[in-house]
């Protein structure tokens, strides 16, 4: 936000240099990003002078050009060729001398000696828009007869330099989005640091009602979205250019002057932080303003000519028949002020920040007004701003106040009561600040002391300080005015020994696995924990009712906390695929969130909410692409399964500790669920369903695995990493071809095998599946490899045969398996 140094001095008394003001503001938390000396008119009118046209003759080779001689207060008049229709001898004009630089937006051009249709020209007689003192291009500027010849234009227009202070306003400091707001902080700092100062702004004593010729009725239908609405009508206005002082104020801070009425509303907003809107009174059909929402799909054209569809979530300012304005965001076409406007209605209101933020994001409209409304303005400044605007309309547009101010304020918004204890201040800051200093800072920040005791203060924080509602917030305010640099660094540092805990181990293993995946060609991604709620309307595995919903979402794309990592990764894949990067291996560590309505209770509000840490893996495209040593090869589910297996091995999760089952998760076309022996789900992996891929516009297969890192850490938490020599005794491999029913899964065979032999069975692997000819109906064949090994001795045939016989018997009894 741009703040004018001179404008700031109108509200607070100080003798600081611009740089000292910047240092003071930065120390209070209003960080200054830049300080620049500027002119209200770009270039400062350098090289421009007042001249007198001595002669004006028709150009011999043109029917519209004139050849003039202009006295610039020098020995010899300058010959200038001019094409303006209103140029005439005897006029006082503004002349751009040779070498003068003029600006057209960001472009600049230098006035040089030129030859126009064969006649030399040594300068240029200027129009208003050519030098930046107005918008007219109808002809050259004609000055009054008393304008001194040869006087620099900067002196004639009383152009003075100013300093623009660019402040980075944090989201919580809505109160500082104006010159008055910044002045309040500077005043508190000056007072705390012993400067003689005072804080002041114009009073409203000049406001008066001239007649009652144009009464406007107001009705607030949606009182949740509009907390306060006030308006006043002004009749007999002359819409014209603003006076020089007002145009200069706006130009210095980067605003373009439009006309006196619009400039007044912009001035009030930048001065006092209250956004305003001005309606042509002829647009207020029925002389009534209604604040309400619109039926879904209502067409509305804004001032920039763009058509929008309004709905039940958009607050509108309407007349008796139709909407005129998207409340707090943008005016409607035809509702503004024009040269033909004579009667206006000034609006000043307080709209609920969430409603304005949603409408601005939904329609892609970000304005100075919405920027302030969506952060929270001062509800008690509504009437002050309205009166100041009305006073200026009378002074600058010659209007008359034609009604009593109509102020609809159904439920007054009070400030925040905070109990502040001195001991708490000392404990939080780490320094004992005198009680008198604490009181002085609080009062200088417009906090009222309701009561005082030896232990502390009871404060009433003004409603515009939406970021100060707790004792710690008040302490932060005290400290930023007192000065962080005034809190001494202690000579001793107290600490304690830290013991590595479960969280440290969890993050260490996560880093190790992340490095392992990067070594395998993966890229790590980091997606937003907020996601689109519509995703959870499509699948049974992740239901809408289990979403943790955001109370004040910025948009429908970020309205719930994610239940799974998959959607963010698919959005990343879609983004990359559309940019010719289709072969991807991605992983992400992140939290997922779950809400269980059945566990909701008032005694423990967080019982229904669960947060866990997950790891997601995504594969898509080709595993090998364009290699001279290997033919192209697509990624596959088995590649993904190998990566998951390697992760389990790396964290110490042995195969015997898990059970594999067919996944019922409908985000997969086919998938596997991995559980521990107790039935706790540790991971799921599979081929992402075509329905989901179509939703995110992905055409190629995607393989996805999601590991519950929190559950995995519990599963391996008690594991001890032991180092042992490689066994000196050989392992024995035996293969069985098992004929089983189609409904029997390999996971069941593995389960039976491990229950049969827990000590010597080291591995169970499926290496072939056959279905087809020469098999009974409803049957399939699994070819399974079993690895047996004893670390203390070599197994003999008798032991091996005994184990295999027992294994075959159990498979037959429990699964109906037969040897082929």
């Amino acid at each position: 936000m741009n703040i004018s140094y001179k404008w700031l001095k109108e509200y607070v008394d100080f003798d600081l240099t611009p740089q000292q003001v910047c240092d003071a503001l930065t120390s209070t938390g209003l960080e200054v990003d830049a300080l620049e000396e500027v002119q209200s008119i770009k270039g400062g009118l350098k090289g421009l002078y007042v001249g007198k046209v001595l002669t004006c003759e028709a150009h011999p080779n043109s029917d519209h050009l004139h050849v003039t001689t202009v006295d610039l207060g020098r020995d010899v008049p300058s010959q200038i060729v001019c094409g303006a229709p209103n140029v005439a001898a005897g006029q006082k004009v503004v002349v751009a001398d040779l070498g003068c630089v003029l600006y057209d937006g960001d472009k600049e051009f230098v006035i040089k000696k030129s030859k126009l249709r064969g006649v030399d020209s040594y300068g240029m007689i200027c129009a208003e828009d050519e030098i930046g003192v107005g918008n007219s291009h109808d002809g050259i500027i004609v000055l009054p007869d008393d304008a001194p010849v040869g006087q620099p234009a900067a002196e004639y227009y009383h152009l003075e330099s100013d300093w623009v202070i660019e402040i980075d306003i944090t989201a919580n400091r809505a109160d500082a989005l104006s010159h008055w707001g910044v002045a309040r902080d500077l005043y508190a700092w000056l007072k705390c640091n012993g400067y003689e100062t005072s804080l002041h702004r114009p009073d409203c004593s000049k406001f008066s009602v001239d007649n009652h010729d144009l009464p406007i009725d107001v009705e607030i239908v949606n009182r949740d979205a509009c907390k306060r609405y006030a308006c006043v009508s002004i009749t007999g206005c002359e819409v014209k250019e603003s006076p020089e002082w007002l145009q200069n104020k706006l130009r210095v801070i980067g605003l373009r002057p439009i006309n006196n009425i619009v400039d007044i509303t912009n001035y009030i907003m930048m001065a006092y932080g209250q956004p305003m809107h001005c309606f042509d009174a002829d647009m207020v059909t029925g002389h009534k303003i209604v604040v309400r929402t619109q039926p879904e799909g209502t067409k509305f054209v804004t001032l920039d000519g763009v058509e929008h569809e309004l709905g039940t979530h958009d607050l509108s300012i309407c007349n008796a028949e139709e909407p005129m304005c998207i409340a707090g965001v943008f005016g409607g076409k035809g509702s503004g002020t024009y040269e033909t406007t004579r009667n206006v209605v000034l609006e000043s209101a307080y709209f609920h920040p969430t409603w304005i933020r949603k409408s601005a994001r939904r329609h892609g409209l970000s304005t100075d007004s919405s920027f302030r409304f969506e952060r929270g303005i001062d509800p008690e400044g509504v009437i002050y701003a309205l009166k100041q605007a009305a006073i200026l309309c009378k002074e600058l547009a010659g209007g008359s106040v034609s009604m009593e101010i109509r102020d609809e304020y159904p439920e007054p918004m009070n400030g925040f009561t905070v109990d502040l204890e001195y001991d708490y201040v000392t404990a939080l800051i780490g320094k004992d600040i005198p009680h008198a200093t604490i009181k002085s800072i609080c009062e200088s920040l417009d906090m009222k002391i309701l009561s005082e005791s030896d232990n502390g203060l009871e404060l009433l924080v003004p409603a515009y300080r939406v970021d100060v509602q707790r004792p710690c917030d008040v302490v932060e305010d005290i400290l930023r005015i007192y000065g962080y640099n005034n809190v001494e660094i202690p000579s001793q540092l107290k600490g304690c020994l830290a013991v590595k805990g479960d969280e440290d181990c969890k993050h260490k293993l996560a880093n190790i696995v992340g490095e392992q995946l990067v070594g395998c060609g993966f890229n790590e991604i980091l997606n937003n924990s907020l996601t689109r709620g519509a995703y959870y309307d499509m699948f049974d595995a992740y239901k809408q009712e289990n979403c943790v919903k955001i109370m004040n979402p910025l948009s429908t794309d970020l309205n719930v906390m994610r239940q799974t990592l998959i959607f963010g990764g698919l959005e990343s894949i879609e983004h990359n695929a559309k940019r010719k990067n289709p072969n991807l291996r991605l992983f992400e560590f992140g939290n997922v969130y779950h809400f269980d309505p059945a566990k909701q209770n008032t005694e423990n509000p967080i019982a229904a909410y669960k947060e866990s840490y997950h790891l997601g893996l995504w594969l898509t495209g080709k595993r090998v692409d364009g290699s001279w040593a290997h033919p192209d090869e697509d990624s596959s589910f088995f590649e993904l399964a190998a990566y998951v297996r390697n992760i389990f091995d790396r964290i110490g999760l042995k195969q015997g500790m898990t059970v594999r089952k067919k996944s019922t998760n409908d985000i997969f076309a086919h998938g596997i669920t991995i559980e521990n022996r107790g039935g706790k789900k540790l991971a799921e992996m599979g081929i992402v369903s075509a329905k989901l891929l179509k939703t995110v516009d992905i055409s190629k297969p995607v393989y996805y695995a999601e590991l519950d890192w929190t559950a995995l850490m519990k599963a391996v938490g008690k594991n001890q990493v032991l180092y042992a020599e490689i066994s000196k005794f050989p392992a024995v491999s035996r293969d069985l071809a098992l004929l089983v029913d189609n409904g029997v899964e390999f996971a069941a065979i593995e389960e039976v095998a491990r229950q049969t032999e827990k000590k010597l069975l080291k591995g169970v692997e499926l290496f072939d599946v056959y279905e087809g000819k020469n098999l009974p109906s409803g049957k399939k064949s699994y070819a399974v490899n079993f690895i047996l090994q004893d670390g203390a001795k070599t197994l003999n045939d008798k032991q091996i045969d005994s184990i295999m016989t027992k294994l075959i018997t159990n498979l037959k009894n429990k699964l109906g398996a037969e040897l082929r």
Side-chain angles (χ1 to χ4, degrees):
M1 177 183 171
N2 290 336
I3 294 294
S4 161
Y5 172 79
K6 288 187 174 179
W7 196 344
L8 197 62
K9 295 191 77 170
E10 295 179 14
Y11 303 132
V12 60
D13 298 328
F14 60 86
D15 294 322
L16 304 180
T17 65
Q19 185 58 56
Q20 288 174 325
V21 171
C22 292
D23 295 340
L25 292 177
T26 298
S27 72
T28 66
L30 301 179
E31 183 179 358
V32 174
D33 186 58
L35 174 65
E36 181 183 3
E37 186 177 12
V38 297
Q39 302 283 354
S40 57
I41 298 175
K42 191 171 184 179
L45 302 182
K46 187 177 180 180
L48 292 159
Y49 300 92
V50 175
K52 181 178 181 179
V53 181
L54 300 178
T55 63
C56 179
E57 304 292 339
H59 193 291
N61 301 317
S62 172
D63 59 356
H64 69 279
L65 295 178
H66 296 83
V67 179
T68 69
T69 55
V70 183
D71 179 11
L72 294 176
R74 300 167 187 167
D75 294 337
V76 180
S78 298
Q79 178 174 288
I80 299 175
V81 177
C82 179
N86 65 328
V87 64
Q91 292 174 336
K92 296 290 183 68
V93 294
V94 177
V95 177
D97 200 8
L98 296 179
C100 174
V101 180
L102 298 181
Y103 299 88
D104 181 12
D106 293 331
K107 297 179 181 179
E108 60 180 48
F109 59 94
V110 180
I111 301 300
K112 301 177 181 178
K113 175 186 174 182
S114 59
K115 183 171 288 190
L116 300 176
R117 299 283 182 93
V119 177
D120 291 335
S121 181
Y122 298 88
M124 176 174 137
I125 304 176
C126 301
E128 287 183 352
D129 63 333
E130 291 170 334
I131 64 174
V133 298
N135 299 318
S136 174
H137 194 72
D138 296 336
I140 60 171
I141 302 170
V142 179
L143 301 177
D145 292 338
D146 60 354
V149 173
Q151 183 182 34
E155 293 182 13
Y156 178 81
Y157 284 104
H158 307 293
L159 193 66
E160 298 180 2
S161 63
D162 195 358
W163 292 86
V164 171
I165 303 168
E166 184 180 341
I167 301 177
D168 288 336
I169 303 291
T170 54
N172 64 318
R173 292 303 308 278
D175 63 293
L177 289 170
S178 66
H179 285 75
W180 175 248
V182 173
R184 284 186 301 227
D185 266 19
L186 182 58
Y187 165 76
W189 184 89
L190 290 167
K191 190 174 179 181
C192 181
N193 286 274
Y195 290 89
E196 289 291 332
T197 184
S198 64
L199 185 67
H200 43 79
R201 63 179 179 178
D203 60 32
C204 298
S205 58
K206 292 183 180 180
F207 177 82
S208 62
V209 177
D210 300 305
N211 55 62
H212 296 83
D213 295 344
L214 187 57
I216 302 294
D217 191 17
V218 173
E219 179 185 359
I220 301 177
V221 177
N222 191 325
R223 297 190 175 188
D224 291 332
C226 181
K227 301 295 186 181
R228 188 175 193 179
Y229 191 94
C231 71
V232 68
S233 62
I234 314 289
T235 59
C237 295
E238 181 186 359
V239 179
K240 57 184 180 180
E241 283 191 356
S242 298
E244 184 181 321
W245 69 266
L246 180 53
Q247 292 193 44
N248 287 344
K249 277 183 178 292
L250 297 179
R251 287 195 191 101
V252 163
I253 60 174
L255 295 181
R256 180 175 63 88
I258 298 173
N259 61 52
N260 52 354
I261 303 297
V262 176
D263 292 350
I264 287 168
T265 61
N266 286 334
Y267 169 79
I268 294 296
M269 177 176 64
M270 303 311 295
Y272 309 117
Q274 173 66 52
M276 300 186 68
H277 190 72
C278 182
F279 298 102
D280 187 321
D282 293 336
M283 289 291 296
V284 186
T285 306
H287 289 180
K288 182 176 182 179
I289 290 177
V290 183
V291 186
R292 59 183 172 86
T293 57
Q294 298 297 314
E296 202 67 42
T298 300
K299 304 294 184 182
F300 181 74
V301 180
T302 47
L303 280 168
D304 56 1
V306 178
E307 184 177 83
H308 299 265
E309 285 193 4
L310 305 184
T312 55
H313 298 292
D314 295 310
L315 187 67
S316 302
I317 309 302
C318 311
N319 55 35
E321 298 176 354
E322 60 185 356
M324 301 184 293
C325 176
I326 303 176
V329 180
F330 219 102
K333 187 176 182 180
S335 69
T337 54
Y338 307 92
E339 290 184 359
T340 57
T341 300
R342 291 295 174 264
N343 304 321
V344 298
V345 178
L346 296 175
E347 166 197 279
S348 184
Y350 180 94
F351 301 116
H352 195 288
T354 303
W355 279 78
I356 304 305
R357 182 168 60 250
K358 286 182 177 180
S359 287
R361 300 296 184 276
R362 187 179 299 111
H363 297 289
L365 297 171
S366 181
T367 61
D368 286 330
S369 292
S370 67
F371 187 80
R372 285 159 176 78
F373 276 126
E374 66 187 37
R375 284 160 175 77
I377 63 168
D378 182 6
E380 298 304 318
V382 169
I383 300 302
Y384 175 83
L386 190 61
K387 288 183 176 181
Q388 288 295 319
I391 291 170
L392 287 172
C393 282
K394 292 178 68 173
E395 293 178 354
L396 306 185
S400 301
V401 177
S402 297
M403 64 176 284
E404 299 287 346
I405 289 179
R406 181 62 186 270
D407 182 18
E408 285 293 311
Y409 197 8
E411 298 179 8
M413 301 175 63
N414 300 317
F416 313 102
T417 302
V418 177
D419 292 322
L420 183 70
E421 296 183 357
Y422 293 129
D423 290 344
Y424 177 77
V425 177
T426 301
L428 207 56
I429 293 178
K431 179 178 180 178
D432 190 6
I433 298 177
H435 297 177
T437 302
I438 293 175
K439 288 174 56 180
S440 176
I441 292 175
C442 289
E443 289 176 329
S444 66
L445 289 172
D446 206 13
M447 300 179 192
K448 294 181 180 178
I449 299 176
L450 300 179
S451 63
E452 181 181 359
S453 67
D454 293 338
N455 296 326
L457 305 170
E458 182 184 8
L459 300 171
L460 179 62
V461 181
Y464 64 79
R465 288 306 306 274
V466 293
D467 60 320
V468 182
Q469 302 183 26
R470 304 168 297 171
C472 59
D473 299 328
V474 177
V475 174
E476 181 185 358
D477 255 18
I478 292 170
L479 184 54
R480 67 184 183 84
I481 299 300
Y482 180 77
Y484 287 90
N485 292 336
N486 293 326
V487 179
E488 298 82 4
I489 298 175
S491 59
Q492 293 181 338
L493 181 63
K494 299 180 181 179
C496 62
L497 294 175
V499 179
K500 183 184 289 186
D502 293 339
E503 285 297 311
D504 299 292
C505 295
K506 181 180 79 171
H507 289 297
K508 181 180 179 181
L509 279 175
N511 287 334
I512 291 173
V513 168
E515 291 173 358
Q516 175 178 306
L517 290 170
V518 170
C520 294
F522 279 76
N523 287 302
E524 185 172 10
I525 60 176
L526 183 63
N527 287 299
N528 201 328
S529 295
L530 299 176
T531 188
R532 186 184 306 167
Y535 284 138
Y536 301 95
D537 293 328
M538 300 185 293
F539 302 100
D540 294 331
Y542 304 104
K543 298 180 180 179
Q544 183 69 239
E545 64 188 42
N546 298 124
C547 288
V548 178
K549 296 181 173 61
I550 304 302
M551 294 178 64
N552 300 314
L554 293 176
S555 69
T556 54
D557 289 339
L558 300 170
N559 60 347
V560 300
M561 306 294 286
R562 62 188 177 189
Q563 293 187 53
T564 171
L565 301 177
I566 187 171
F567 302 119
L570 292 179
E571 289 174 356
S572 299
I573 290 173
E574 182 260 348
H575 181 86
N576 279 270
K578 289 183 176 179
R579 288 156 180 80
K580 308 299 182 183
N581 187 24
N583 306 323
L584 299 167
R585 293 180 178 84
L586 306 175
F587 77 95
E588 178 182 11
F589 281 100
N591 289 321
V592 297
Y593 308 86
H594 186 270
F595 172 69
D596 186 354
K599 295 182 179 179
Q600 196 170 16
N601 65 80
T602 55
E603 294 182 0
N604 185 9
I606 64 172
Y609 298 91
K610 179 184 176 184
E611 177 184 40
S612 55
Y613 199 56
H614 282 204
L615 166 62
L617 306 176
W618 294 263
L619 293 181
T620 187
K622 293 186 179 296
R623 176 174 175 268
V624 180
D625 184 28
S627 172
W628 64 271
H630 194 292
D632 288 0
E633 180 182 336
D634 291 333
S635 296
S636 67
F637 169 78
F638 302 103
E639 181 189 356
L640 176 67
Y643 290 129
V644 174
R645 174 73 176 273
N646 288 339
I647 291 172
F648 286 173
D649 289 343
R650 189 65 185 83
I651 66 176
L653 187 70
K654 300 176 182 178
Q655 287 194 50
M657 300 169 64
T658 61
V659 177
R660 289 175 173 81
K661 296 181 179 179
K662 183 178 181 179
S663 175
T664 59
N665 193 329
D666 54 348
I667 66 169
F668 296 121
H670 303 283
I672 291 175
T673 298
I674 302 174
E675 301 176 350
N676 63 14
R677 292 292 174 179
K680 172 68 175 177
K681 184 167 69 176
L682 302 177
E684 280 188 300
M685 56 183 173
I687 307 170
V688 178
S689 71
K691 174 184 176 182
L692 178 52
L693 294 181
K694 184 178 180 180
T695 301
V696 291
D697 197 21
I698 296 175
S699 57
K700 292 189 176 182
V702 176
Y703 307 96
Y704 175 66
E706 185 159 341
L707 287 64
D708 187 335
W709 199 254
T710 302
L712 285 171
M713 293 302 98
K714 290 182 179 178
V716 301
K718 297 181 180 179
N719 283 5
Q720 291 184 347
V721 180
L722 301 177
Y723 297 88
E725 293 183 5
I726 297 175
S727 178
K728 299 177 182 178
F729 305 99
V732 176
S733 175
R734 291 289 186 269
D735 296 337
L736 295 179
L738 302 171
L739 191 65
V740 296
D741 293 335
N742 281 337
V744 176
E745 299 177 359
F746 170 70
I749 294 174
E750 183 182 16
E751 177 73 12
V752 171
R754 294 196 179 279
Q755 289 177 354
T756 301
E757 178 54 56
K758 298 179 180 180
K759 182 179 179 182
L760 301 180
L761 184 63
K762 301 301 181 183
V764 183
E765 295 291 342
L766 175 68
F767 64 88
D768 188 35
V769 180
Y770 176 72
E771 294 178 280
K773 295 181 180 180
N774 303 323
L775 290 183
S777 176
K779 296 287 185 178
K780 61 183 175 182
S781 175
Y782 279 143
V784 185
N785 173 253
F786 300 89
I787 304 295
L788 303 173
Q789 187 177 32
D790 190 335
K793 60 181 179 180
T794 302
L795 293 173
N796 56 45
D797 290 341
K798 184 177 180 180
Q799 289 175 297
I800 297 169
D801 291 342
S802 173
I803 293 171
M804 294 306 297
T805 300
K806 187 177 178 181
L807 182 58
I808 293 169
T809 301
N810 286 344
L811 289 170
K812 181 177 182 180
N813 293 337
K814 295 183 179 181
L815 302 178
E818 298 178 4
L819 292 180
R820 287 186 62 195

